[in-house]
Coordinates of all heavy atoms in Angstrom, one line a residue:
M1 N 88.7 99.8 100.8 CA 89.2 100.7 99.7 C 90.0 101.9 100.3 O 89.5 102.5 101.3 CB 88.0 101.3 98.9 CG 88.3 102.2 97.8 SD 86.8 102.6 96.9 CE 87.6 103.4 95.5
P2 N 91.2 102.2 99.8 CA 91.9 103.3 100.4 C 91.1 104.6 100.3 O 90.4 104.8 99.3 CB 93.2 103.4 99.5 CG 93.3 102.1 98.8 CD 91.9 101.5 98.7
G3 N 91.2 105.4 101.3 CA 90.5 106.6 101.3 C 89.0 106.5 101.8 O 88.3 107.4 101.8
N4 N 88.6 105.3 102.1 CA 87.3 105.1 102.6 C 87.2 105.3 104.1 O 87.5 104.4 104.9 CB 86.8 103.6 102.2 CG 85.3 103.4 102.6 OD1 84.7 104.3 103.1 ND2 84.9 102.2 102.3
Q5 N 86.9 106.5 104.5 CA 86.9 106.8 105.9 C 85.6 107.4 106.3 O 85.0 108.3 105.6 CB 88.0 107.8 106.2 CG 89.3 107.3 105.6 CD 90.5 108.0 106.2 OE1 90.5 109.0 106.8 NE2 91.7 107.4 106.0
G6 N 85.0 106.9 107.4 CA 83.7 107.3 107.8 C 82.6 107.0 106.9 O 81.7 107.8 106.8
G7 N 82.7 105.9 106.1 CA 81.7 105.5 105.2 C 81.7 106.2 103.9 O 80.9 106.0 103.0
K8 N 82.6 107.2 103.7 CA 82.7 107.9 102.4 C 83.5 107.1 101.4 O 84.6 106.5 101.7 CB 83.5 109.2 102.6 CG 82.6 110.4 102.6 CD 83.5 111.6 102.7 CE 82.7 112.8 102.2 NZ 83.5 114.0 102.3
V9 N 83.0 107.0 100.2 CA 83.7 106.2 99.1 C 84.6 107.2 98.3 O 84.1 108.3 97.9 CB 82.7 105.5 98.2 CG1 83.4 104.8 97.1 CG2 81.9 104.5 99.0
A10 N 85.8 106.9 98.1 CA 86.7 107.8 97.4 C 86.4 107.7 95.9 O 86.0 106.6 95.4 CB 88.2 107.3 97.6
N11 N 86.5 108.8 95.2 CA 86.3 108.9 93.8 C 87.5 108.4 93.0 O 88.6 109.0 93.2 CB 85.9 110.3 93.4 CG 85.6 110.5 92.0 OD1 85.8 109.6 91.2 ND2 84.9 111.6 91.7
P12 N 87.5 107.4 92.2 CA 88.6 106.9 91.5 C 89.2 107.9 90.5 O 90.4 107.9 90.2 CB 88.2 105.6 90.8 CG 86.7 105.8 90.7 CD 86.3 106.6 91.9
L13 N 88.4 108.8 90.0 CA 88.9 109.9 89.1 C 89.9 110.7 89.8 O 90.9 111.2 89.1 CB 87.7 110.7 88.6 CG 86.7 110.0 87.8 CD1 85.5 110.9 87.4 CD2 87.3 109.4 86.5
K14 N 89.8 110.9 91.1 CA 90.8 111.7 91.8 C 92.2 111.0 91.7 O 93.2 111.7 91.4 CB 90.4 111.8 93.3 CG 91.5 112.4 94.2 CD 91.1 112.3 95.6 CE 92.2 112.6 96.5 NZ 92.1 112.3 97.8
Y15 N 92.2 109.7 91.8 CA 93.5 109.0 91.7 C 94.0 109.0 90.3 O 95.3 109.1 90.1 CB 93.3 107.5 92.2 CG 93.0 107.5 93.7 CD1 91.7 107.2 94.1 CD2 93.9 107.8 94.7 CE1 91.3 107.1 95.4 CE2 93.6 107.8 96.0 CZ 92.3 107.4 96.4 OH 92.0 107.4 97.7
L16 N 93.2 108.9 89.3 CA 93.6 109.0 88.0 C 94.2 110.4 87.6 O 95.3 110.4 87.0 CB 92.5 108.7 87.0 CG 92.2 107.3 86.6 CD1 91.0 107.2 85.7 CD2 93.4 106.7 85.9
K17 N 93.6 111.4 88.1 CA 94.1 112.8 87.8 C 95.5 113.0 88.5 O 96.4 113.6 88.0 CB 93.1 113.8 88.2 CG 91.9 113.8 87.3 CD 90.9 114.9 87.6 CE 89.7 114.6 86.8 NZ 89.0 115.7 86.3
E18 N 95.6 112.4 89.7 CA 96.9 112.5 90.4 C 98.0 111.7 89.7 O 99.2 112.0 89.9 CB 96.7 112.0 91.9 CG 95.9 113.0 92.7 CD 95.6 112.4 94.1 OE1 96.0 111.3 94.4 OE2 95.0 113.2 94.9
A19 N 97.6 110.7 88.9 CA 98.6 109.8 88.3 C 99.0 110.3 86.9 O 99.9 109.7 86.3 CB 98.0 108.4 88.1
V20 N 98.5 111.4 86.5 CA 98.9 112.0 85.2 C 100.4 112.2 85.2 O 101.0 112.7 86.2 CB 98.2 113.3 84.8 CG1 98.8 114.0 83.7 CG2 96.7 113.0 84.6
D21 N 101.1 111.9 84.1 CA 102.6 111.9 83.9 C 103.3 110.9 84.8 O 104.5 111.1 85.0 CB 103.1 113.3 84.3 CG 102.6 114.4 83.2 OD1 102.4 114.0 82.1 OD2 102.4 115.5 83.6
T22 N 102.6 109.8 85.1 CA 103.3 108.7 85.8 C 103.0 107.4 85.0 O 102.0 107.4 84.2 CB 102.9 108.5 87.2 OG1 101.5 108.1 87.3 CG2 103.1 109.7 88.1
Q23 N 103.8 106.4 85.2 CA 103.6 105.2 84.4 C 102.5 104.3 85.2 O 102.6 104.2 86.4 CB 104.9 104.4 84.4 CG 104.9 103.3 83.4 CD 106.3 102.7 83.2 OE1 107.0 102.5 84.2 NE2 106.7 102.5 81.9
I24 N 101.6 103.7 84.4 CA 100.5 102.9 84.9 C 100.4 101.6 84.1 O 100.9 101.5 83.0 CB 99.2 103.6 85.0 CG1 98.7 104.0 83.6 CG2 99.2 104.9 85.9 CD1 97.2 104.4 83.5
Y25 N 99.7 100.6 84.7 CA 99.4 99.4 84.1 C 97.9 99.3 84.0 O 97.2 99.6 84.9 CB 99.9 98.2 85.0 CG 99.4 96.9 84.7 CD1 100.1 96.0 83.8 CD2 98.2 96.4 85.2 CE1 99.6 94.8 83.4 CE2 97.7 95.1 84.9 CZ 98.4 94.3 84.0 OH 97.9 93.1 83.7
V26 N 97.4 99.0 82.8 CA 96.0 98.9 82.5 C 95.6 97.5 82.0 O 96.3 97.1 81.0 CB 95.5 100.0 81.5 CG1 94.0 99.9 81.3 CG2 96.0 101.4 82.0
K27 N 94.6 96.9 82.6 CA 94.1 95.6 82.0 C 92.7 95.9 81.6 O 91.9 96.4 82.3 CB 94.1 94.5 83.1 CG 93.7 93.2 82.5 CD 94.1 92.0 83.3 CE 93.7 90.7 82.6 NZ 94.1 89.6 83.4
L28 N 92.4 95.4 80.3 CA 91.1 95.6 79.7 C 90.2 94.4 80.0 O 90.7 93.3 80.3 CB 91.2 95.9 78.2 CG 92.1 97.1 77.8 CD1 92.0 97.3 76.3 CD2 91.7 98.3 78.6
K29 N 88.9 94.5 79.8 CA 88.0 93.4 80.0 C 88.3 92.3 79.1 O 87.9 91.1 79.4 CB 86.6 94.0 79.8 CG 86.2 94.9 80.9 CD 84.8 95.5 80.6 CE 84.4 96.5 81.7 NZ 83.1 97.2 81.4
D30 N 88.9 92.5 77.9 CA 89.2 91.4 77.0 C 90.5 90.7 77.3 O 90.9 89.8 76.6 CB 89.1 91.9 75.5 CG 90.3 92.8 75.2 OD1 91.1 93.1 76.0 OD2 90.3 93.3 74.0
G31 N 91.2 91.2 78.4 CA 92.4 90.5 78.8 C 93.7 91.2 78.3 O 94.8 90.9 78.7
T32 N 93.5 92.2 77.4 CA 94.7 93.0 76.9 C 95.3 93.8 78.0 O 94.5 94.3 78.8 CB 94.2 93.9 75.7 OG1 93.5 93.1 74.7 CG2 95.4 94.6 75.1
E33 N 96.6 93.9 78.0 CA 97.3 94.6 79.1 C 98.2 95.6 78.5 O 98.9 95.4 77.4 CB 98.1 93.7 79.9 CG 97.4 92.5 80.5 CD 98.3 91.5 81.1 OE1 98.9 91.6 82.2 OE2 98.5 90.4 80.3
Y34 N 98.3 96.8 79.1 CA 99.2 97.9 78.6 C 99.9 98.5 79.8 O 99.4 98.6 80.9 CB 98.4 99.0 78.0 CG 97.6 98.6 76.8 CD1 96.2 98.3 76.8 CD2 98.2 98.6 75.5 CE1 95.5 97.9 75.7 CE2 97.5 98.2 74.4 CZ 96.2 97.9 74.5 OH 95.5 97.5 73.4
V35 N 101.2 98.9 79.5 CA 102.0 99.7 80.4 C 102.3 100.9 79.7 O 102.8 100.9 78.5 CB 103.2 99.0 80.9 CG1 104.1 99.9 81.7 CG2 102.9 97.7 81.7
G36 N 102.1 102.1 80.3 CA 102.5 103.3 79.6 C 102.4 104.5 80.5 O 101.9 104.4 81.6
L37 N 102.8 105.7 80.0 CA 102.8 106.9 80.7 C 101.4 107.6 80.5 O 101.1 107.9 79.4 CB 103.9 107.8 80.1 CG 104.3 109.0 80.9 CD1 104.8 108.7 82.3 CD2 105.4 109.8 80.2
L38 N 100.7 107.8 81.6 CA 99.4 108.4 81.5 C 99.5 109.9 81.2 O 100.2 110.6 82.0 CB 98.6 108.2 82.9 CG 97.3 108.8 83.0 CD1 96.3 108.3 81.9 CD2 96.7 108.7 84.4
R39 N 98.9 110.3 80.1 CA 99.0 111.7 79.8 C 97.7 112.5 80.0 O 97.7 113.6 80.4 CB 99.4 111.9 78.3 CG 100.8 111.5 78.0 CD 101.8 112.4 78.7 NE 103.1 112.1 78.3 CZ 104.2 112.6 78.9 NH1 104.1 113.4 79.8 NH2 105.4 112.3 78.4
V40 N 96.6 111.8 79.7 CA 95.3 112.5 79.8 C 94.3 111.5 80.3 O 94.3 110.3 79.9 CB 94.9 113.0 78.4 CG1 93.5 113.7 78.5 CG2 95.9 114.0 77.8
T41 N 93.3 112.0 81.1 CA 92.2 111.2 81.5 C 91.0 112.1 81.5 O 91.2 113.4 81.5 CB 92.4 110.5 82.8 OG1 91.2 109.7 83.1 CG2 92.6 111.5 84.0
D42 N 89.8 111.6 81.5 CA 88.6 112.5 81.5 C 87.6 111.9 82.5 O 87.8 110.9 83.2 CB 88.0 112.7 80.1 CG 87.5 111.4 79.5 OD1 87.3 110.4 80.2 OD2 87.2 111.5 78.3
S43 N 86.4 112.4 82.5 CA 85.4 112.0 83.5 C 84.8 110.7 83.2 O 84.1 110.1 84.1 CB 84.2 113.1 83.5 OG 83.6 113.1 82.3
T44 N 85.0 110.1 82.1 CA 84.5 108.7 81.8 C 85.7 107.7 81.8 O 85.5 106.6 81.3 CB 83.8 108.7 80.4 OG1 84.7 109.1 79.4 CG2 82.6 109.5 80.4
M45 N 86.8 108.1 82.4 CA 88.0 107.3 82.5 C 88.7 106.9 81.2 O 89.4 105.9 81.1 CB 87.7 106.0 83.4 CG 87.5 106.4 84.8 SD 87.1 105.0 85.9 CE 88.6 104.1 85.9
N46 N 88.4 107.6 80.1 CA 89.1 107.4 78.9 C 90.6 107.8 79.2 O 90.8 108.8 80.0 CB 88.6 108.3 77.7 CG 87.2 107.9 77.3 OD1 86.9 106.7 77.3 ND2 86.4 108.8 77.0
L47 N 91.5 107.1 78.6 CA 92.9 107.3 78.9 C 93.7 107.5 77.6 O 93.4 106.9 76.6 CB 93.6 106.2 79.7 CG 92.9 105.6 80.9 CD1 93.6 104.4 81.4 CD2 92.8 106.6 82.0
I48 N 94.7 108.4 77.7 CA 95.7 108.5 76.6 C 97.1 108.1 77.3 O 97.4 108.8 78.3 CB 95.8 109.8 76.0 CG1 94.5 110.1 75.2 CG2 97.0 109.9 75.0 CD1 94.4 111.4 74.5
L49 N 97.7 107.1 76.8 CA 99.0 106.7 77.3 C 100.1 106.9 76.2 O 99.8 106.7 75.0 CB 99.0 105.2 77.6 CG 98.0 104.6 78.6 CD1 98.2 103.1 78.7 CD2 98.1 105.3 79.9
D50 N 101.2 107.4 76.6 CA 102.4 107.6 75.7 C 103.4 106.5 76.1 O 103.4 106.0 77.2 CB 103.0 109.0 75.9 CG 102.3 110.0 75.1 OD1 101.6 109.7 74.1 OD2 102.5 111.2 75.4
D51 N 104.3 106.3 75.1 CA 105.4 105.3 75.3 C 104.8 104.0 75.8 O 105.4 103.3 76.7 CB 106.4 105.8 76.3 CG 107.1 107.1 75.9 OD1 107.3 107.3 74.6 OD2 107.3 108.0 76.7
S52 N 103.7 103.6 75.3 CA 103.0 102.4 75.8 C 103.5 101.1 75.1 O 103.9 101.1 73.9 CB 101.5 102.5 75.7 OG 101.1 102.6 74.3
V53 N 103.3 100.0 75.8 CA 103.6 98.7 75.3 C 102.4 97.8 75.6 O 101.8 97.9 76.7 CB 104.9 98.1 75.8 CG1 106.1 98.8 75.2 CG2 104.9 98.0 77.3
E54 N 102.1 96.9 74.7 CA 101.1 95.8 75.0 C 101.9 94.7 75.6 O 102.9 94.3 75.1 CB 100.3 95.4 73.8 CG 99.3 94.3 74.1 CD 98.6 93.9 72.8 OE1 98.7 94.6 71.8 OE2 97.9 92.8 72.9
V55 N 101.4 94.2 76.7 CA 102.1 93.1 77.4 C 101.2 91.9 77.6 O 100.0 92.0 77.5 CB 102.7 93.5 78.8 CG1 103.7 94.6 78.6 CG2 101.6 93.9 79.7
K56 N 101.8 90.7 77.8 CA 101.1 89.5 78.0 C 101.5 88.9 79.4 O 102.7 88.8 79.6 CB 101.4 88.5 77.0 CG 100.6 87.2 77.1 CD 100.8 86.2 76.0 CE 100.0 85.0 76.1 NZ 100.2 84.1 75.0
D57 N 100.5 88.7 80.3 CA 100.8 88.2 81.6 C 101.7 89.0 82.4 O 102.4 88.6 83.3 CB 101.3 86.7 81.5 CG 100.3 85.8 80.9 OD1 99.1 86.0 81.0 OD2 100.8 84.9 80.2
G58 N 101.8 90.3 82.1 CA 102.7 91.2 82.8 C 104.2 91.0 82.6 O 105.0 91.5 83.3
K59 N 104.5 90.1 81.6 CA 105.9 89.6 81.5 C 106.5 89.8 80.1 O 107.6 90.2 79.9 CB 106.0 88.2 81.8 CG 105.7 87.9 83.3 CD 105.7 86.4 83.6 CE 105.3 86.1 85.0 NZ 105.1 84.8 85.3
Q60 N 105.7 89.6 79.1 CA 106.2 89.6 77.7 C 105.7 90.7 76.9 O 104.5 91.0 76.9 CB 105.8 88.2 77.0 CG 106.2 88.1 75.6 CD 105.8 86.8 75.0 OE1 105.0 86.0 75.6 NE2 106.2 86.5 73.8
V61 N 106.6 91.5 76.3 CA 106.1 92.6 75.4 C 105.6 92.0 74.1 O 106.3 91.3 73.4 CB 107.3 93.6 75.1 CG1 106.9 94.6 74.1 CG2 107.8 94.2 76.4
M62 N 104.4 92.3 73.8 CA 103.7 91.8 72.6 C 103.9 92.9 71.4 O 104.1 92.5 70.3 CB 102.2 91.6 72.8 CG 101.9 90.5 73.9 SD 102.7 89.0 73.6 CE 101.8 88.4 72.2
A63 N 103.8 94.2 71.8 CA 104.0 95.2 70.8 C 104.3 96.5 71.4 O 103.8 96.8 72.5 CB 102.7 95.4 70.0
K64 N 105.2 97.3 70.8 CA 105.5 98.7 71.2 C 104.6 99.6 70.4 O 104.7 99.6 69.2 CB 107.0 99.0 71.0 CG 107.9 98.2 71.9 CD 109.3 98.5 71.7 CE 110.2 97.7 72.6 NZ 111.6 98.1 72.6
L65 N 103.7 100.3 71.1 CA 102.7 101.0 70.5 C 102.8 102.5 70.4 O 102.3 103.2 69.6 CB 101.3 100.7 71.1 CG 101.0 99.2 71.1 CD1 99.7 98.9 71.9 CD2 100.8 98.7 69.7
G66 N 103.6 103.1 71.4 CA 103.7 104.5 71.4 C 102.4 105.1 72.1 O 102.1 104.8 73.2
R67 N 101.7 106.0 71.4 CA 100.5 106.6 72.0 C 99.3 105.8 71.7 O 99.0 105.4 70.5 CB 100.3 108.0 71.4 CG 99.1 108.7 71.9 CD 99.1 110.1 71.5 NE 99.9 110.9 72.4 CZ 100.0 112.2 72.5 NH1 99.4 112.9 71.6 NH2 100.8 112.7 73.3
V68 N 98.5 105.5 72.7 CA 97.2 104.8 72.6 C 96.1 105.5 73.3 O 96.3 106.2 74.3 CB 97.3 103.3 73.1 CG1 98.3 102.5 72.3 CG2 97.6 103.3 74.6
L69 N 94.9 105.3 72.8 CA 93.7 105.8 73.5 C 92.9 104.6 74.0 O 92.7 103.7 73.2 CB 92.8 106.6 72.5 CG 91.4 106.9 73.0 CD1 91.4 107.9 74.1 CD2 90.6 107.5 71.8
I70 N 92.6 104.6 75.3 CA 91.9 103.5 75.8 C 90.5 104.0 76.3 O 90.4 104.9 77.1 CB 92.6 102.8 77.0 CG1 94.0 102.3 76.5 CG2 91.8 101.7 77.7 CD1 94.9 101.8 77.6
R71 N 89.5 103.4 75.8 CA 88.1 103.8 76.2 C 87.8 103.3 77.7 O 88.1 102.1 78.0 CB 87.1 103.1 75.3 CG 85.7 103.6 75.5 CD 84.8 103.1 74.4 NE 83.5 103.4 74.7 CZ 82.6 103.7 73.8 NH1 82.9 103.8 72.6 NH2 81.3 104.0 74.2
G72 N 87.4 104.2 78.5 CA 87.1 103.9 79.9 C 86.2 102.7 80.2 O 86.4 102.0 81.1
S73 N 85.2 102.5 79.3 CA 84.3 101.5 79.5 C 84.9 100.1 79.3 O 84.3 99.1 79.7 CB 83.0 101.6 78.6 OG 83.4 101.6 77.3
M74 N 86.1 100.0 78.7 CA 86.7 98.8 78.4 C 87.7 98.4 79.5 O 88.3 97.3 79.5 CB 87.5 98.9 77.1 CG 86.6 99.1 75.9 SD 85.3 97.8 75.7 CE 86.3 96.4 75.5
I75 N 87.9 99.2 80.5 CA 88.9 99.0 81.5 C 88.4 98.0 82.6 O 87.3 98.3 83.2 CB 89.4 100.3 82.2 CG1 90.1 101.2 81.1 CG2 90.3 100.0 83.4 CD1 90.4 102.6 81.6
Q76 N 89.2 97.0 82.9 CA 88.9 96.1 84.0 C 89.5 96.7 85.3 O 88.8 96.8 86.3 CB 89.4 94.7 83.7 CG 89.0 93.7 84.8 CD 89.5 92.3 84.5 OE1 90.2 92.1 83.5 NE2 89.0 91.4 85.3
Y77 N 90.8 97.0 85.2 CA 91.4 97.6 86.4 C 92.7 98.3 85.9 O 93.2 98.1 84.9 CB 91.7 96.7 87.5 CG 92.7 95.6 87.3 CD1 94.1 95.9 87.5 CD2 92.4 94.3 86.9 CE1 95.0 94.9 87.3 CE2 93.3 93.4 86.7 CZ 94.6 93.6 86.9 OH 95.6 92.7 86.7
I78 N 93.1 99.2 86.8 CA 94.4 100.0 86.6 C 95.2 99.8 87.8 O 94.7 99.9 89.0 CB 94.0 101.5 86.4 CG1 93.2 101.7 85.2 CG2 95.3 102.4 86.4 CD1 92.6 103.1 85.1
S79 N 96.5 99.7 87.6 CA 97.5 99.6 88.7 C 98.4 100.9 88.6 O 98.9 101.1 87.6 CB 98.3 98.4 88.7 OG 99.4 98.4 89.7
F80 N 98.5 101.6 89.7 CA 99.3 102.7 89.8 C 100.8 102.4 90.2 O 101.6 103.2 90.3 CB 98.8 103.8 90.7 CG 97.4 104.3 90.3 CD1 96.3 104.0 91.0 CD2 97.3 105.1 89.2 CE1 95.0 104.4 90.6 CE2 96.0 105.5 88.7 CZ 94.9 105.2 89.5
T81 N 101.0 101.1 90.4 CA 102.3 100.5 90.7 C 102.6 99.5 89.6 O 102.6 98.3 89.9 CB 102.4 99.9 92.1 OG1 101.3 99.0 92.3 CG2 102.2 101.0 93.2
P82 N 102.9 99.9 88.4 CA 103.2 98.9 87.3 C 104.4 98.0 87.6 O 104.4 96.9 87.1 CB 103.4 99.8 86.1 CG 103.8 101.1 86.7 CD 103.1 101.3 88.0
E83 N 105.3 98.4 88.5 CA 106.4 97.6 88.8 C 106.0 96.3 89.5 O 106.7 95.3 89.5 CB 107.5 98.3 89.6 CG 107.0 98.9 90.9 CD 106.3 100.2 90.9 OE1 106.1 100.8 89.8 OE2 105.8 100.7 91.9
R84 N 104.8 96.3 90.1 CA 104.3 95.1 90.7 C 103.5 94.3 89.7 O 103.5 93.1 89.7 CB 103.4 95.5 91.9 CG 104.2 95.9 93.1 CD 103.3 96.0 94.3 NE 104.0 96.4 95.5 CZ 103.5 96.8 96.6 NH1 102.2 96.8 96.7 NH2 104.3 97.1 97.6
A85 N 102.7 95.0 88.9 CA 101.8 94.3 87.9 C 102.6 93.7 86.8 O 102.3 92.6 86.2 CB 100.8 95.2 87.4
A86 N 103.7 94.4 86.3 CA 104.5 94.0 85.2 C 106.0 94.2 85.5 O 106.6 95.1 84.8 CB 104.0 94.7 83.9
P87 N 106.5 93.6 86.5 CA 107.9 93.9 86.9 C 108.9 93.7 85.8 O 109.9 94.5 85.7 CB 108.2 92.9 88.1 CG 107.2 91.8 87.9 CD 106.0 92.5 87.2
D88 N 108.8 92.7 85.0 CA 109.8 92.5 83.9 C 109.7 93.6 82.8 O 110.7 93.9 82.2 CB 109.5 91.1 83.2 CG 109.7 90.0 84.2 OD1 110.5 90.1 85.2 OD2 109.1 88.9 84.0
I89 N 108.6 94.1 82.6 CA 108.4 95.2 81.6 C 108.9 96.5 82.1 O 109.6 97.2 81.4 CB 106.9 95.3 81.2 CG1 106.4 93.9 80.7 CG2 106.7 96.4 80.1 CD1 107.2 93.3 79.6
V90 N 108.5 96.9 83.3 CA 108.8 98.2 83.9 C 110.4 98.2 84.1 O 111.0 99.2 83.8 CB 108.1 98.5 85.2 CG1 108.5 99.7 85.8 CG2 106.6 98.5 84.8
G91 N 110.9 97.1 84.6 CA 112.4 97.1 84.8 C 113.2 97.2 83.5 O 114.3 97.7 83.5
A92 N 112.6 96.7 82.4 CA 113.3 96.7 81.2 C 113.2 98.0 80.4 O 113.9 98.3 79.5 CB 112.8 95.6 80.3
K93 N 112.3 98.9 80.8 CA 112.1 100.1 80.1 C 113.1 101.1 80.3 O 113.8 101.2 81.3 CB 110.7 100.8 80.4 CG 109.6 100.0 79.7 CD 108.3 100.8 79.9 CE 107.9 101.3 78.5 NZ 106.8 102.1 78.4

């Protein structure tokens, strides 16, 4: 894990707070995927994304949603490099 030095585990909340006002990719436990601008996060990893789109397989835009609230307990993973997770979507924005 990045930041794991000397046996210390890095806190993912730190990375989320540093990513505010940047574009991220989020995959939920049910398979739903979003790309959007991270505006707000909290201690339970709830997220508010602006200018968000729902995508399928990181390639196809399913819906343009605007502002969405994502519950932290539903998140499977987050990519801070959405151009890798959804290159066709990020390049088209």
